[in-house]
Amino acid sequence: MAKKNDEELYDAAIAMIGSVTKLPAIRVDRDAFLRQQFADSEYLDEILEHGPQYVYTVESLRRKADEVIKQSTNRTTLAAFVAGIPGGVAAVAAGSADMIQYFGFAINLAQKIAYLFGEDDLFSGESELNEGAKVRILAYLGAMFGASGAAAMVGKLAKEVGKNMGKKIPQQALMKTTWYPLLKKVGAMVGKKVVKESVGKAVTKVVPVVGGAISGAITYATFKPMGGRLADVLVRNLNGEFDEAGMELRPEFRHADAAEDGEVTIHAIEIND
């Protein structure tokens, strides 16, 4: 496979998100999900209007997230076992339906965790995701996969993308933001998961199972920590760790200027595969 640059990997990640989120089963209706999770709460109306974080402590929401992650992981594991997906990520290189299903499960879980911590509805009644929502999901996936810088980007996007950029993010406007190089790097990391087979091979080394059970075992081994990482990031966000006053850009991101040809010089940063 020819080596792809960051731009191509970013595009692959965004394209995957756009394709997967067109599947109705992947979408999570925010209000329906919160009604289900907080059916017995006397503050349901406040939860639906302002988010669970308006009513409950961050610590209790983190415990609730563990329950949601466990339930989702169990359902995903069963589906992966039945479908015979080889860990979900091992078949990614082929761009097959297996990859779509694996990332679909991840995006479905990301929505649930995000809504628990007060994030806005990603779809807002639209048939397709707008560019701002795609970028938000990219940040969630980056946090789930452990991409360096994804955590800070989640906090940044929570304050800016939906509010300031509307339904479309013009490419030129996006390129001029200080966090655009970071977005590209996180997108490239997620893109590697989309197009590379090596991730699946690495995971299989730590799962002591063989045969048909390997798909369910690897899915179980990966989804629980993935969900936990995103939940931890959203806890940090609610605790104000990513407030503007506490966010210092690394030197290579302080002077990201758009070039005349519309490209941005993206400096190398370390990404945890």
Side-chain angles (χ1 to χ4, degrees):
M1 180 185 300
K3 184 174 181 179
K4 295 180 180 292
N5 60 35
D6 283 356
E7 188 77 28
E8 292 173 315
L9 291 171
Y10 172 85
D11 290 343
I14 289 293
M16 177 277 298
I17 291 170
S19 296
V20 171
T21 52
K22 290 179 181 179
L23 303 174
I26 301 305
R27 301 187 179 199
V28 177
D29 183 296
R30 176 186 177 275
D31 285 2
F33 171 71
L34 293 180
R35 286 181 187 279
Q36 179 188 53
Q37 294 299 316
F38 300 97
D40 298 328
S41 176
E42 62 181 302
Y43 305 109
L44 183 58
D45 289 341
E46 287 85 352
I47 291 171
L48 293 175
E49 182 176 358
H50 303 290
Q53 84 293 344
Y54 184 78
V55 174
Y56 297 105
T57 64
V58 175
E59 292 76 17
S60 63
L61 290 177
R62 184 62 182 83
R63 292 192 295 271
K64 185 73 170 176
D66 281 337
E67 297 175 12
V68 171
I69 293 167
K70 181 179 179 180
Q71 293 169 0
S72 183
T73 298
N74 289 339
R75 286 194 295 268
T76 300
T77 299
L78 177 61
F81 179 84
V82 172
I85 302 173
V89 288
V92 163
S96 65
D98 297 344
M99 178 273 286
I100 293 295
Q101 183 166 333
Y102 185 84
F103 277 97
F105 287 145
I107 292 172
N108 181 273
L109 176 57
Q111 291 171 80
K112 294 175 180 177
I113 298 172
Y115 297 152
L116 272 183
F117 287 94
E119 296 286 293
D120 294 335
D121 195 338
L122 282 162
F123 291 93
S124 302
E126 298 176 8
S127 59
E128 295 187 11
L129 282 181
N130 61 54
E131 292 304 306
K134 290 178 184 177
V135 168
R136 283 174 58 193
I137 288 181
L138 184 61
Y140 297 154
L141 290 175
M144 294 173 85
F145 284 121
S148 178
M153 198 172 80
V154 168
K156 189 74 172 174
L157 293 174
K159 295 176 174 62
E160 288 192 6
V161 171
K163 180 176 66 176
N164 295 332
M165 293 192 174
K167 293 185 177 182
K168 285 191 174 183
I169 302 180
Q171 186 71 2
Q172 291 300 321
L174 181 60
M175 288 164 58
K176 292 180 181 178
T177 62
T178 58
W179 44 269
Y180 178 78
L182 179 58
L183 169 63
K184 280 291 185 179
K185 284 296 179 181
V186 172
M189 187 274 190
V190 174
K192 287 180 182 178
K193 306 295 186 184
V194 176
V195 303
K196 288 184 68 174
E197 185 180 10
S198 59
V199 179
K201 291 179 178 178
V203 174
T204 60
K205 295 178 182 178
V206 300
V207 182
V209 292
V210 293
I214 195 169
S215 60
I218 296 176
T219 300
Y220 184 83
T222 57
F223 260 70
K224 191 171 183 180
M226 281 168 58
R229 281 192 288 268
L230 178 57
D232 288 341
V233 166
L234 292 170
V235 165
R236 293 163 62 191
N237 188 43
L238 286 183
N239 284 334
E241 185 170 329
F242 305 124
D243 286 347
E244 190 66 34
M247 285 185 63
E248 182 179 355
L249 291 173
R250 291 175 58 175
E252 61 265 38
F253 294 128
R254 290 175 187 162
H255 304 291
D257 298 321
E260 291 183 358
D261 61 359
E263 295 295 328
V264 169
T265 300
I266 302 174
H267 301 275
I269 64 172
E270 180 181 354
I271 293 179
N272 301 320
D273 285 330

